[in-house]
Amino acid sequence: MTLTEFRGVYPAMTTPFHEDGSIDFETLRTDARRLADAGVDGLVPVGSTGESATLSHDEHIDVVEAVIDAVDVPVIAGSGSNNTAEALSLSRRSAEAGADALLLISPYYNKPEPQGMYEHYRTIADEVDLPQIVYNVPGRTGQNIDVDTAVDLAAHPNVLGYKAASGDLNQVSEVVERTRDKEFSVLAGDDGLVLPTLSVGGTGTISVVANIEPERTVDMVHSALDGDYEGARERHHELGPLMRALFWETNPIPVNEAMAIRGYGPGHVRLPLTRLSEELRPDLEAVLADLDPLEAEA
């Protein structure tokens, strides 16, 4: 399929592991189908939530291929790196695997200047003919993608989206404002700011909470996109306690634990991440217990 717009809900998938640290591909495929059946608009494997930093390159592509094989919705493969040549290799291999689009985290640790940031993304966009999303998450990378750079990149025909996870709504709003004349989608990357991002012209979210509550997240986002902000606010506040709980510790520790509590996955993470602190698990269970299955409300 050809993506020209990113609109709606795209869960940032977890990567399930067996206790020995190997990838649980059966659970991965089952989870991809569960999310697709819940009505999400696409899936994002091997991003930050998918622990891409601890996967080998071959494992990375194996996960992408497994998700593609399991579902008929668009698959946006995380393929970024702090090494431009490495990101280009992962992007090419993801394209060959059949990904519909790419999510590219900005170079972490290196802390490039704006020109280096631009050249990094331009190089990949020139070489890989797939829709690409620029991913700004300075809390993980140590470097913000400034608005001018984001706007310059939006002029490239393959750069069609921007995942905003800086926590700065003013910056998000300016990116939307300055790209309104382009085919360019701005997606919320902070669950708590999805609704505010939509209110200033964002088009959707790459979401952690959607792994646990896909139906509610889809209802929230599409209600807002359809102009029903009263309904969207109701869902936003229902999800608020879980959105906050999923960041009690470093993502994806809490969401993996929530997956285990709900019976969606084994809950294991790879070192240097560890399981959720034991004292927090009862609180997370309580938050989840307060969210009855959405289907039961019909």
Side-chain angles (χ1 to χ4, degrees):
M1 58 192 71
T2 301
L3 290 174
T4 58
E5 180 184 31
F6 300 101
R7 179 181 174 87
V9 174
Y10 303 87
M13 294 184 68
T14 62
T15 301
F17 299 110
H18 295 292
E19 193 170 359
D20 65 1
S22 60
I23 297 171
D24 182 346
F25 284 102
E26 182 178 355
T27 297
L28 176 67
R29 295 184 186 95
T30 298
D31 194 51
R33 289 189 286 267
R34 172 182 68 88
L35 294 169
D37 289 346
V40 302
D41 298 276
L43 296 173
V44 184
V46 289
S48 302
T49 306
E51 296 183 68
S52 59
T54 63
L55 301 182
S56 72
H57 290 184
D58 287 343
E59 287 177 325
H60 190 114
I61 301 305
D62 288 344
V63 169
V64 171
E65 289 178 339
V67 173
I68 290 169
D69 289 345
V71 298
D72 292 325
V73 299
V75 174
I76 304 168
S79 62
S81 173
N82 66 330
N83 177 329
T84 304
E86 188 173 277
L88 180 56
S89 174
L90 283 170
S91 296
R92 283 173 170 155
R93 291 184 67 184
S94 295
E96 290 168 0
D100 298 288
L102 305 174
L103 174 68
L104 293 151
I105 195 168
S106 66
Y108 42 87
Y109 188 79
N110 310 66
K111 300 183 73 173
E113 297 300 325
Q115 185 62 33
M117 191 80 76
Y118 174 82
E119 293 294 340
H120 170 83
Y121 281 110
R122 183 196 59 77
T123 297
I124 300 164
D126 282 350
E127 295 292 330
V128 182
D129 191 20
L130 275 185
Q132 295 168 31
I133 301 171
V134 173
Y135 179 11
N136 188 32
V137 57
R140 285 189 180 268
T141 66
Q143 192 82 332
N144 182 55
I145 303 175
D146 64 42
V147 175
D148 288 343
T149 301
V151 172
D152 288 344
L153 287 168
H156 196 289
N158 282 337
V159 180
L160 298 183
Y162 174 87
K163 178 183 176 183
S166 68
D168 184 347
L169 191 59
N170 285 324
Q171 180 175 295
V172 176
S173 182
E174 187 176 352
V175 172
V176 172
E177 175 187 333
R178 293 175 59 186
T179 58
R180 286 179 298 170
D181 62 339
K182 299 176 173 64
E183 286 188 349
F184 194 70
S185 303
V186 175
L187 301 162
D190 294 310
D191 282 333
L193 292 181
V194 172
L195 191 53
T197 297
L198 295 172
S199 76
V200 298
T203 59
T205 178
I206 296 177
S207 169
V208 177
V209 75
N211 284 291
I212 308 301
E213 286 287 339
E215 292 90 354
R216 280 187 170 88
T217 308
V218 167
D219 190 45
M220 175 183 71
V221 169
H222 282 278
S223 291
L225 291 172
D226 292 341
D228 177 14
Y229 274 89
E230 183 176 352
R233 279 193 299 271
E234 180 179 348
R235 292 294 184 216
H236 169 80
H237 290 304
E238 285 178 9
L239 288 169
L242 180 58
M243 290 175 178
R244 293 186 290 273
L246 294 183
F247 290 87
W248 283 342
E249 291 185 347
T250 301
N251 178 53
I253 292 172
V255 69
N256 272 283
E257 203 68 33
M259 295 279 283
I261 292 167
R262 282 279 178 93
Y264 302 149
H268 302 300
V269 290
R270 277 186 175 175
L271 286 171
L273 298 183
T274 53
R275 293 289 290 261
L276 187 74
S277 301
E278 289 186 12
E279 61 269 22
L280 290 176
R281 198 174 199 276
D283 295 333
L284 181 57
E285 289 174 341
V287 170
L288 291 167
D290 283 342
L291 284 165
D292 293 329
L294 189 61
E295 297 91 339
E297 297 178 4

